[in-house]
Amino acid sequence: MQRLLPHPLLTIILAIIWLLLSNSIALGQAALGLLLGWAIPFFALQFWPDKLKVHKPLTLLKFSYILLHDIVEANFIVALRILGKPEKLRPAFIVVPIDLNSDFGMSILANTSCLTPGSLSALLAPDRKSILMHAMDVEDVDAFIHTVKTRYEKPLKEIFEE
């Protein structure tokens, strides 16, 4: 069964996304959504080297909520700073030490910083012990590092590594 339906939850999620994108719940659209939801994970299975294991699903849910909140809040903050006095911005590249060992966790951390407006990840160090991030307005470098480590890295470590 696992070989025929490699990711049942992902299949359902992709089918729902298809229905939302097509803006229809017609039987044909639902069937097409399920077909796409099955085909995408089935054919992409060879590109996923390891089976993803979520150790703390409730922490993942909390992390998702925090990330969504931070994305919305950052949009308003960036808009206010851009509309205000952009010459007062203090952009900076910051090396953030990381303790993640999971490739997937590192990828999610890098993508998290790119999803929140005003910051992005620029480079993962070759030794995989730090990540170079850029932030649009940094008042305190240590506070920025602390926020990344406690708000994003710590939950990701709990979710994917413990």
Side-chain angles (χ1 to χ4, degrees), residues 79-101:
L80 288 173
R81 293 200 173 133
I82 296 294
L83 293 173
K85 295 187 177 187
E87 63 274 0
K88 289 192 174 186
L89 293 177
R90 298 158 298 212
F93 278 100
I94 301 155
V95 176
V96 179
I98 57 174
D99 300 318
L100 288 167
N101 297 314

Side-chain angles (χ1 to χ4, degrees), residues 2-3 9 18 27 41 68 71 89 108 123 126 134-135 148 150:
Q2 182 71 25
R3 293 180 78 197
L9 183 60
W18 176 257
L27 185 60
L68 183 62
I71 291 169
L89 293 177
I108 295 294
L123 179 70
H134 181 271
V148 169
T150 57

Side-chain angles (χ1 to χ4, degrees), residues 51-63:
K51 182 89 170 148
L52 180 63
K53 180 141 171 85
V54 174
H55 296 279
K56 294 190 176 179
L58 291 176
T59 305
L60 176 60
L61 190 62
K62 182 180 173 186
F63 175 79

Side-chain angles (χ1 to χ4, degrees), residues 4-5 12 21 38 55 63-64 80 108-109 127 132 144:
L4 293 175
L5 189 62
I12 293 168
L21 288 172
W38 167 80
H55 296 279
F63 175 79
S64 300
L80 288 173
I108 295 294
L109 179 63
D127 66 357
L132 180 65
F144 179 86

Side-chain angles (χ1 to χ4, degrees), residues 23-91:
N23 201 23
S24 171
I25 56 169
L27 185 60
Q29 291 294 338
L32 183 57
L34 285 172
L35 179 66
L36 288 170
W38 167 80
I40 292 170
F42 183 77
F43 290 112
L45 188 60
Q46 64 183 340
F47 301 111
W48 293 336
D50 299 323
K51 182 89 170 148
L52 180 63
K53 180 141 171 85
V54 174
H55 296 279
K56 294 190 176 179
L58 291 176
T59 305
L60 176 60
L61 190 62
K62 182 180 173 186
F63 175 79
S64 300
Y65 173 78
I66 288 169
L67 179 59
L68 183 62
H69 173 271
D70 288 355
I71 291 169
V72 171
E73 182 181 53
N75 273 293
F76 286 110
I77 291 170
V78 167
L80 288 173
R81 293 200 173 133
I82 296 294
L83 293 173
K85 295 187 177 187
E87 63 274 0
K88 289 192 174 186
L89 293 177
R90 298 158 298 212

Side-chain angles (χ1 to χ4, degrees), residues 63 66 69-70 146-155:
F63 175 79
I66 288 169
H69 173 271
D70 288 355
H146 178 74
T147 299
V148 169
K149 292 193 72 59
T150 57
R151 199 159 176 89
Y152 304 124
E153 183 189 27
K154 183 180 175 215

